[in-house]
C-alpha cells in the first residue's frame, strides 16, 4: 500500500481547498469530509431495518450488513471519507407528469444518463488529483457500488441531514442530489455534522401514496413505489397497484414535497438533464416495447437495469389506472407474453378497463389456455374482486 504522508495543518487546509475547487470544476455540487468512525449509531439502525424486514427482497443488504454498517470493516485502512453531492434537480415541477394518465412517469433521477456512469470517471479523477497533491496515500471510490451507508456518512460530513423521508436534504441544494464517496488512508480535516432542520414538518410523510413510513426517519421499502417498481421481481402486491398511478419507474413524491427544495436549482451537468423522450413518454408506445426496442430506448439509462419484463409489468399497472380503453388491444396481446409477470399484470389491467361481463367472457376463454398457477390466480382474484364490487 502506498504510504500516507503526514501533512502540516497548513498543508492540509490548502489540500482541502484545492480538493473542493477541483470537485467543483468536475461538476460536483458539494464536498465534505468525515471520519470512518463518525456514524456509530448506523450498524444498530441498519440491523433494526433488516430485523424488521424493511429491506424486502434486497437480500444483498443483509449479506453485506457488517461492511455496510462500518467503513472501517469495509476497508480497515481508511482514515477519512470524502462525501460528494451531485445535483440532478429537474427543470420544472417534478410531479407534473403524474396528472397525465396517458403518459408513464419515470422518476427524475432516471430521466437521463445513469448517474453511476456519470460520476464514476469524475470520482476517479478527483481521487487521483488528491493523491498527487498529497504526495501519496491510497484511495477507493464508491458511488453506490459497494456497501457504504452514504446518507449517514454525508450527514456526519455536514453535507446535509437525513430528512424524515430518510434521504439527505441540504439547506443549499434541497434534496435532488446523488451521493458518492472517496475513501482514503490520508488524514484529512473532518467537518462537523449537519443538524436536523425538519422541525415539525411532516410534508414528505403525508405525501407518500403508499404509506411507506412506519415512523418519521424510517422507511419500509416493501411499501415504497421505488422499491416495488425497481427492486421487486414478482407481481406488484394488489394493495399498491392503484396508488402507483402512472409511476412506472421510481417515485419522487416524498422528495418533491420537501419545502427545502425551494432552494433547489436545475442540474448543471448536461448528462443529468432530462432526456426529452423520457420526461413524459407515451404509455401506448411503452406498452409495445419488445426486448431489443426496450434496450435501445433505455441505453445508458438506469431504467435498463430492470429489464423489459419488469418494466412492461409497471406500464401495465399504469395502463390499468389510466381509464383509457385505447390500450385494450395491446393489453390483450400481452396476455400471450412469454413472461408470467407481464401476463399477470395484463390480467389486472384488463379487469380495470373492461366491463365485468366482458372481463368474465375473456377470462373463460383465456383460462382454458393459461397453464401458469400465478397467472390463473390473478384471473381468479380479479373475477372475485369484480363480483364483490357488484
Ligand atoms: C437501498 C436503497 C434504496 C431502497 C431503500 C431506501 C432506504 N431509505 O433505505 C429503495 C429502493 C426503496 C430506494 C429508494 C430511493 N432511493 Co435509494 N438507495 C438505497 C441505497 C443503495 C442504500 C440505502 C441504505 O443503506 N438503506 C438502509 C437504511 C437502514 O439506511 P437509511 O435509509 O440511511 O436509514 C436511516 C434511518 O432509518 C435512520 N434512523 C433510524 N431510526 C432513526 C431514528 C431517529 C430519531 C433518526 C433521526 C434517524 C433514524 O438511521 C438509519 C441509518 O442512517 C443508497 C445508496 C447507498 N449506498 O447508501 C441509495 C440512495 C439512498 N437512494 C437514493 C435515491 C435518489 C432514491 C430515490 C429518491 C429514487 C427514486 N426517485 O425512486 C428513492 C427514495 C425513497 C426513500 N424515501 O428513501 C440516493 C439518495 C440521495 C440523497 N440525497 O439522499 C442514494 C444515496 C443513492 C445515491 N448514491 O445517490 N433506495
Ligand atoms: S419514494 Fe414514493 S412511495 Fe417511496 S417513500 Fe417516497 S413517496 Fe413513498
Amino acid at each position: 500500500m502506498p504510504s500516507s504522508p503526514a501533512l502540516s495543518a497548513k498543508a492540509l487546509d490548502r489540500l482541502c481547498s484545492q480538493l473542493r475547487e477541483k470537485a467543483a470544476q468536475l461538476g460536483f455540487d458539494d464536498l465534505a469530509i468525515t471520519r470512518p468512525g463518525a456514524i456509530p449509531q448506523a450498524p444498530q439502525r441498519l440491523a433494526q431495518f433488516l430485523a424488521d424486514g424493511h429491506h424486502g427482497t434486497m437480500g444483498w443488504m443483509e449479506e453485506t450488513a457488517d461492511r455496510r454498517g462500518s467503513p472501517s470493516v469495509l476497508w480497515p485502512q481508511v482514515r477519512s471519507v470524502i462525501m460528494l453531492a451531485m445535483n440532478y434537480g429537474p427543470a420544472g415541477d417534478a410531479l407534473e407528469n403524474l396528472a397525465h394518465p396517458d403518459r408513464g412517469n419515470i422518476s427524475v433521477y432516471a430521466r437521463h444518463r445513469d448517474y453511476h456512469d456519470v460520476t464514476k470517471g469524475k470520482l476517479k479523477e478527483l481521487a487521483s488529483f488528491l493523491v498527487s497533491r498529497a504526495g501519496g496515500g491510497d484511495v477507493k471510490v464508491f458511488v453506490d457500488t459497494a456497501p457504504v451507508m452514504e446518507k449517514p456518512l454525508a450527514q456526519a460530513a455536514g453535507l446535509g441531514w437525513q430528512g424524515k423521508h430518510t434521504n439527505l436534504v441540504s439547506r443549499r441544494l434541497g434534496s435532488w442530489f446523488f451521493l458518492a464517496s472517496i475513501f482514503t488512508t490520508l488524514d484529512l480535516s473532518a467537518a462537523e455534522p449537519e443538524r436536523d432542520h425538519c422541525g415539525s414538518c411532516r410534508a414528505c410523510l403525508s405525501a407518500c401514496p403508499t404509506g411507506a413510513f412506519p415512523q418519521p426517519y424510517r422507511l419500509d421499502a416493501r411499501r415504497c413505489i421505488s422499491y416495488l417498481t425497481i427492486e421487486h421481481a414478482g407481481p406488484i402486491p394488489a394493495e399498491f397497484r392503484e396508488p402507483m398511478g402512472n409511476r412506472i419507474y421510481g417515485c419522487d413524491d416524498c422528495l418533491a414535497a420537501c419545502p427545502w427544495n425551494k432552494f433547489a436549482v436545475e442540474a448543471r451537468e448536461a448528462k443529468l438533464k432530462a432526456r426529452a423522450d423520457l420526461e413524459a413518454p407515451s404509455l401506448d408506445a411503452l406498452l409495445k416495447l419488445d426486448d431489443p426496442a426496450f434496450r435501445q430506448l433505455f441505453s445508458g439509462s438506469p431504467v435498463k437495469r430492470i429489464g423489459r419484463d419488469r418494466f412492461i409489468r409497471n406500464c401495465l399497472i399504469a395502463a390499468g389506472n389510466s381509464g383509457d380503453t385505447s390500450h385494450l388491444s395491446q393489453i390483450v396481446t400481452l396476455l400471450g407474453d412469454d413472461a408470467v409477470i407481464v401476463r399477470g399484470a395484463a390480467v389486472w389491467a384488463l379487469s380495470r378497463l373492461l366491463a365485468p361481463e366482458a372481463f368474465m367472457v375473456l377470462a373463460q376463454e383465456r383460462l382454458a389456455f393459461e397453464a401458469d398457477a400465478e397467472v390463473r390466480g390473478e384471473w381468479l382474484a380479479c373475477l372475485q374482486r369484480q363480483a364483490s364490487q357488484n
Side-chain angles (χ1 to χ4, degrees), residues 42 45-46 49 58 60-61 68 88 107 109 115 143-144 146 148-152 162 165-168 175 177-179 213 217-219 221 224 226-227 230-231 250-252 254-255:
R45 287 177 173 178
L46 175 62
F49 176 82
M58 296 183 288
W60 42 271
M61 295 197 80
R68 188 174 294 276
Y88 67 91
S107 70
Y109 96 91
Y115 70 95
V143 50
D144 201 3
V148 175
M149 290 186 83
E150 295 174 337
K151 296 181 286 180
Q162 283 192 257
H165 52 31
T166 79
N167 273 11
L168 212 74
S175 50
F177 57 90
F178 296 121
L179 293 171
F213 299 106
Y217 307 102
R218 306 278 291 269
L219 176 79
C224 172
S226 184
Y227 166 83
I230 302 172
E231 301 288 340
C251 173
D252 290 320
C254 53
L255 295 196

Side-chain angles (χ1 to χ4, degrees), residues 49 175 195 198 214 227 229 255 263 324 353 367 377:
F49 176 82
S175 50
R195 64 177 183 85
C198 287
Y227 166 83
T229 53
L255 295 196
F263 300 114
D324 182 350
L353 297 176
L367 272 167

Side-chain angles (χ1 to χ4, degrees), residues 83-282:
M83 293 303 305
L84 293 132
M86 189 172 281
N87 174 29
Y88 67 91
D93 175 2
L95 303 187
E96 204 247 316
N97 189 38
L98 296 182
H100 301 283
D102 58 324
R103 308 270 137 186
N105 191 70
I106 294 174
S107 70
V108 176
Y109 96 91
R111 291 179 189 169
H112 35 67
R113 283 288 295 278
D114 193 322
Y115 70 95
H116 300 91
D117 303 340
V118 176
T119 22
K120 194 87 190 204
K122 294 173 188 292
L123 272 182
K124 285 185 177 161
E125 195 176 333
L126 188 62
S128 309
F129 174 85
L130 171 67
V131 172
S132 73
R133 289 301 155 107
D138 202 0
V139 281
K140 287 189 194 294
V141 304
F142 303 117
V143 50
D144 201 3
T145 44
V148 175
M149 290 186 83
E150 295 174 337
K151 296 181 286 180
L153 281 168
Q155 173 154 7
L159 272 190
W161 71 99
Q162 283 192 257
K164 289 177 186 170
H165 52 31
T166 79
N167 273 11
L168 212 74
V169 186
S170 145
R171 279 192 289 178
R172 195 164 64 75
L173 298 170
S175 50
W176 306 106
F177 57 90
F178 296 121
L179 293 171
S181 58
I182 300 177
F183 282 27
T184 176
T185 53
L186 290 162
D187 260 320
L188 303 175
S189 333
E192 286 299 306
E194 174 62 294
R195 64 177 183 85
D196 187 325
H197 294 280
C198 287
S200 59
C201 177
R202 294 178 58 88
C204 59
L205 309 177
S206 315
C208 179
T210 46
F213 299 106
Q215 287 170 34
Y217 307 102
R218 306 278 291 269
L219 176 79
D220 182 349
R222 294 169 301 181
R223 301 187 67 85
C224 172
I225 293 170
S226 184
Y227 166 83
L228 292 165
T229 53
I230 302 172
E231 301 288 340
H232 177 71
I236 307 273
E239 67 172 301
F240 304 120
R241 295 176 189 171
E242 255 189 88
M244 267 174 61
N246 66 343
R247 296 171 191 79
I248 54 171
Y249 187 93
C251 173
D252 290 320
D253 292 42
C254 53
L255 295 196
C258 178
W260 287 97
N261 279 326
K262 62 175 176 269
F263 300 114
V265 292
E266 192 188 354
R268 66 189 169 108
E269 165 61 57
K271 290 182 184 143
L272 296 183
K273 290 184 194 288
R275 264 171 57 180
D277 58 342
L278 298 188
E279 275 187 299
S282 141

Side-chain angles (χ1 to χ4, degrees), residues 12 61 77 99 200 230 303 308 310 316:
L12 258 183
M61 295 197 80
Q77 288 78 15
S200 59
I230 302 172
V303 178
R308 175 263 178 193
R310 215 182 280 184
L316 282 162

